[in-house]
Amino acid sequence: MPFRTRITRWDLSLEESVLSLAVLREKVAIMTSGGDAAGMNPAVKSTADYALKLGMEPYLVKWGLRGLIEGWIEPATDAFLSDLIHRGGTALGSSRSKRFFEYEFRKQAYENLERLGIGKLVIIGGDGSFNALNQFYEDFKVPFAGIPATIDNDISGTDYCLGVDTALNMIRSSVDSIRDTASSFSRAFVIETMGRDCGYLAMTSALATDAEVCLVPEIEYDLDCIGKRLRAQRDAGKQYLLGIVAEGTGMGETLTRWMSDALGMDARLTVLGHVQRGGSPTVYDRIMAFKFAGAALDNLQAGEKNKVVVFKDGAFGMASINEITDTKHESDPALIKLCRGLSC
Ligand code: F6P
């Protein structure tokens, strides 16, 4: 710990001792980084609340890594924390800072923390952000704990990332609405979900909304085979069709045209886009945020220095940065198995 000092003074009055203890309280800064996700705000709030319970002084970094460089770091106030739990996105703001990959700017960030006497960090974000802070740890030995947050659910080593449940509920609600109009007009609808190269959002949503088709990067698809199945379903009386496509396949427009050409249906494409990233965090995301935050601080206080909290097989643990960033993320095989029938 480079900037924690211990002073033993036997000549202080009780009040002075209490005051000096307050001055010496360990300071932890909390920040969000990378793509925003619902659940970030509850995670900020619960990390700050728990830090106070542990006798630490919570600080907040505004605008992610950029704020660390610029020194946009303030003590957490009750007024700010008490208005967070229901809000989507990140009230602290976020950024994807290229400058942080240059030593000069990391040094500037370190000097900002040093000036304020902040010795620990909790970062809520994705693997790019964890990598950045790991480099920062290697340079300046400021311990940090990462909390995974991204709607893509594509961080290795954890079964869950904050924001996923809220995004899934957004998608579910949108597809339910699309079903109303699809059924009214006997149309085919293709709905494109986010997720970068990961099909988790698309697969889970396709199952939850009982879609007829699901195309994701994890599963090979065969349009001829899908065509046979859908024609049979149409012959059996199916009036409308829903197809969920992960953005990573780049198949949204192609599948829509194909539904029109090969099946002779009036077909429409809905790209859900950033609506999936917003919205008030679900109860699950809020409670998971509390648990991730608790594990992050407990492990930092227990001496972990550069690890990420992971939720694996129903339990919380810590994973090293290498485990997170050097391992290719694999989607849940059970989910893939359930969705195979929607890709053929
Ligand atoms: O990683 C989260 C995510 O929403 C992806 O699903 C999507 O591909 C990407 O971010 C969009 O990024 P941006 O907000 O920069 O357009």
Side-chain angles (χ1 to χ4, degrees):
M1 284 289 310
F3 31 71
R4 241 178 100 197
T5 43
R6 287 195 183 280
I7 307 165
T8 312
R9 290 273 310 274
W10 300 107
D11 55 342
L12 294 178
S13 70
L14 184 61
E15 274 164 45
E16 285 170 323
S17 304
V18 170
L19 210 67
S20 77
L21 273 180
V23 169
L24 289 176
R25 273 203 304 170
E26 197 176 9
K27 296 176 180 177
V28 59
I30 305 158
M31 61 190 289
T32 55
S33 176
D36 54 273
M40 281 184 157
N41 286 328
V44 169
K45 180 195 157 42
S46 49
T47 306
D49 286 349
Y50 191 46
L52 284 167
K53 276 207 186 109
L54 294 176
M56 303 169 91
E57 206 175 332
Y59 275 68
L60 304 175
V61 181
K62 301 276 173 73
W63 302 108
L65 295 173
R66 182 164 176 225
L68 216 50
I69 294 169
E70 304 291 348
W72 296 330
I73 308 167
E74 294 165 8
T77 62
D78 265 357
F80 184 79
L81 296 177
S82 62
D83 191 33
L84 278 189
I85 191 79
H86 61 296
R87 291 171 66 184
T90 164
L92 283 184
S94 189
S95 62
R96 291 178 174 128
S97 169
K98 290 206 177 99
R99 286 191 303 167
F100 204 79
F101 290 93
E102 292 173 41
Y103 179 82
E104 275 316 296
F105 290 109
R106 292 200 297 278
K107 185 158 172 283
Q108 196 173 311
Y110 173 70
E111 284 162 2
N112 290 330
L113 292 178
E114 193 179 35
R115 184 171 39 84
L116 293 166
I118 296 169
K120 285 180 179 168
L121 288 165
V122 171
I123 183 160
I124 304 151
D127 42 13
S129 312
F130 303 149
N131 245 334
L133 275 209
N134 194 45
Q135 184 58 57
F136 191 60
Y137 172 74
E138 282 179 5
D139 295 333
F140 305 106
K141 301 289 171 247
V142 179
F144 77 93
I147 295 179
T150 165
I151 64 165
D152 302 343
N153 214 20
D154 64 348
I155 298 181
S156 280
T158 186
D159 293 340
Y160 192 74
C161 302
L162 291 180
V164 172
D165 188 60
T166 307
L168 284 174
N169 277 289
M170 274 284 168
I171 299 169
R172 195 264 312 139
S173 152
S174 307
V175 178
D176 285 351
S177 298
I178 287 172
R179 177 187 290 281
D180 290 342
T181 175
S183 62
S184 307
F185 263 78
S186 187
R187 277 174 166 167
F189 268 86
V190 175
I191 298 120
E192 184 185 290
T193 61
M194 277 188 167
R196 287 190 201 274
D197 302 324
C198 177
Y200 183 85
L201 290 177
M203 288 190 278
T204 310
S205 308
L207 293 172
T209 59
D210 194 23
E212 280 71 35
V213 181
C214 178
L215 303 189
V216 291
E218 291 88 339
I219 306 177
E220 260 182 53
Y221 41 84
D222 177 343
L223 288 183
D224 288 340
C225 178
I226 294 174
K228 274 189 208 135
R229 178 169 56 83
L230 295 184
R231 274 186 213 99
Q233 283 182 289
R234 297 273 291 151
D235 291 346
K238 181 84 194 147
Q239 292 292 319
Y240 65 95
L241 297 173
L242 296 176
I244 313 276
V245 171
E247 66 174 349
T249 62
M251 282 292 286
E253 286 185 4
T254 309
L255 184 67
T256 312
R257 249 194 329 272
W258 177 85
M259 287 210 167
S260 166
D261 297 346
L263 302 177
M265 291 183 77
D266 196 11
R268 295 285 186 277
L269 171 66
T270 302
V271 178
L272 290 179
H274 287 79
V275 72
Q276 298 160 92
R277 282 239 298 260
S280 180
T282 56
V283 170
Y284 187 71
D285 266 325
R286 297 180 195 196
I287 301 303
M288 286 301 275
F290 294 169
K291 293 180 178 174
F292 270 112
L297 281 182
D298 280 344
N299 280 285
L300 263 184
Q301 293 308 75
E304 292 287 13
K305 300 204 174 338
N306 54 343
K307 294 223 169 130
V308 174
V309 185
V310 291
F311 182 68
K312 193 85 197 147
D313 301 327
F316 286 89
M318 300 300 280
S320 72
I321 301 300
N322 289 351
E323 283 171 76
I324 299 282
T325 55
D326 295 353
T327 321
K328 191 177 172 313
H329 172 263
E330 300 287 350
S331 288
D332 176 8
L335 194 57
I336 293 178
K337 192 172 167 201
L338 284 170
C339 287
R340 276 200 197 287
L342 302 179
S343 309
C344 177

